[in-house]
């Protein structure tokens, strides 16, 4: 079983923290979910996404709360089904998000949210009333619900450009990066998710039968289906991040380093719906987004770091990647008092 299909025990502990008293009650729930309680003492242990989803459903039924008891108001059992049903009745993903966020804002006291469209970029902002931030697990559970439902409604993964959170960085982030984005920023003034605004215009065409199938497998399907691709593509992206872009190998050189032929490399990437050029563009986009959040790094320097011949080439590429020019993206990401 690949890590793409598993969940760290760190998240199991987080799920139990507010939703189940320690001791016999927690042991009983873990056993029912098929998780050996002794695994909680193994920091690197993992469980299948299906097992984690079973734990989620058990805790939700036990507390009548699909949000692990992390808000003063319960997200009562059936809320996810209602959220999907109401959202799928809308014509576009933008209208669906407005409906879904409105429902969650009514249901949860500490997590009111707003969808904001800024030209070619969009963001979902949590308008938190409390001065103290929530736990990272609380935020990521919220994003998992919102992003997972949005991806299902659209029928494809909605690429996340960045997630900013008010809370400090937790000790464990790996699963969050796999689920959402490598570009996670902590200790920020607001909690928000940023993505390309053209996703908002995607039409919604989901049937009642599709909803039944989706809910029958939720939340396991949300946890796995819409993650970033794993295996060879992930390995290549990881290796590219370790090298300056101007030293990245050509296809033949990469294939040699992987001990396969260039044709085999292309075929295996094609089976994952990827190309080597697409992976290089993806890593360049990730790096650009991280550096654009640092105002002291000029556009010219970013272009040079990414291996572009000049700034205009970087501008053209970034508009293609993110649907926005770098200046607009930087103004949005740095406009923290809006």
């Amino acid at each position: 079983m690949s890590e793409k299909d598993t969940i760290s025990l760190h998240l199991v502990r987080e799920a139990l923290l507010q939703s189940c008293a320690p001791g016999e009650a927690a042991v009983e729930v873990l056993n029912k979910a098929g998780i050996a309680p002794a695994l909680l003492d193994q920091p690197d242990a993992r469980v299948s996404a299906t097992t984690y989803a079973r734990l989620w459903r058990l805790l939700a039924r036990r507390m009548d709360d699909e949000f692990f008891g992390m808000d003063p108001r319960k997200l009562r059992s059936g809320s996810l089904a209602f959220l999907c049903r109401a959202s799928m009745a809308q014509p576009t993903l933008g209208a669906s998000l407005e409906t879904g966020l409105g429902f969650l804002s009514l249901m949860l006291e500490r997590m009111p949210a707003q969808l904001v469209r800024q030209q070619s970029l969009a963001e979902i902002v949590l308008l938190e009333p409390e001065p103290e931030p929530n736990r990272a697990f609380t935020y990521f559970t919220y994003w998992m619900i919102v992003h997972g439902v949005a991806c299902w409604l659209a029928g494809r993964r909605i690429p996340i450009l960045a997630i900013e959170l008010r809370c400090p960085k937790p000790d464990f982030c790996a699963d969050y990066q796999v689920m959402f984005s490598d570009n996670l920023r902590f200790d920020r003034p607001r909690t928000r998710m940023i993505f390309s605004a053209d996703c908002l215009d995607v039409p919604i065409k989901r049937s009642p039968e599709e909803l039944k199938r989706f809910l029958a497998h939720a939340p396991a399907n949300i946890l796995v289906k819409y993650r970033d691709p794993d295996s060879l593509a992930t390995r290549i992206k990881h290796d590219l991040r370790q090298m300056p872009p101007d030293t990245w190998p050509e296809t033949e050189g990469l294939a040699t380093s992987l001990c396969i032929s260039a044709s085999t490399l292309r075929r295996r990437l094609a089976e994952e719906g990827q190309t080597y050029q697409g992976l290089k563009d993806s890593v360049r986009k990730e790096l650009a987004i991280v550096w654009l959040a640092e105002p002291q790094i000029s556009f010219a320097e970013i272009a040079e770091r990414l291996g572009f011949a000049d700034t205009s080439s970087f501008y053209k590429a970034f508009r293609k990647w993110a649907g926005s020019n770098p200046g607009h993206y930087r103004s949005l990401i740095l406009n923290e008092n809006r």
Side-chain angles (χ1 to χ4, degrees), residues 181-221:
S181 168
D182 284 314
N183 191 22
L184 306 178
R185 304 180 71 215
F186 298 89
D187 292 308
R188 310 311 300 168
R190 293 174 299 167
T191 296
R192 56 181 176 165
M193 175 189 290
I194 301 172
F195 54 97
S196 178
D198 59 8
C199 298
L200 300 178
D201 300 322
V202 172
I204 304 304
K205 297 179 181 178
R206 287 296 190 181
S207 67
E209 290 74 23
E210 288 174 311
L211 175 62
K212 288 180 182 178
R213 289 195 294 271
F214 176 72
L215 293 174
H217 297 95
N221 46 5

Side-chain angles (χ1 to χ4, degrees), residues 81-92:
F82 185 89
L83 170 67
C84 294
R85 196 174 298 112
S87 298
M88 65 183 279
Q90 306 306 313
T92 65

Side-chain angles (χ1 to χ4, degrees), residues 48-125:
S48 70
T50 303
T51 300
Y52 187 78
R54 190 182 306 123
L55 173 68
W56 179 307
R57 291 194 295 269
L58 283 168
L59 293 172
R61 287 197 299 269
R62 192 172 184 271
M63 299 184 65
D64 190 23
D65 186 352
E66 294 180 345
F67 202 59
F68 296 115
M70 295 185 298
D71 190 86
R73 296 178 187 162
K74 292 183 176 183
L75 193 62
R76 295 188 180 278
S77 297
S79 294
L80 177 61
F82 185 89
L83 170 67
C84 294
R85 196 174 298 112
S87 298
M88 65 183 279
Q90 306 306 313
T92 65
L93 183 62
S96 296
L97 281 171
E98 293 276 13
T99 298
L101 295 173
F103 169 69
L104 291 173
S105 296
L106 287 172
M107 295 296 290
L108 300 173
E109 181 178 313
R110 297 191 63 187
M111 311 286 280
Q114 179 181 15
L115 176 65
V116 179
R117 188 168 189 158
Q118 294 278 331
Q119 299 177 38
S120 56
L121 294 174
E123 58 179 350
I124 298 172
V125 186

Side-chain angles (χ1 to χ4, degrees), residues 15-36:
L16 292 171
L17 191 60
Q18 285 181 243
S19 57
C20 193
E24 291 184 8
V27 170
E28 179 185 357
V29 168
L30 288 171
N31 284 328
K32 286 184 178 179
I35 301 172

Side-chain angles (χ1 to χ4, degrees), residues 80 144-145 148-149 214 217-227:
L80 177 61
M144 193 195 73
I145 294 171
V149 170
F214 176 72
H217 297 95
N221 46 5
I222 295 176
L223 288 164
V224 173
K225 185 172 182 180
Y226 297 111
R227 292 183 179 194

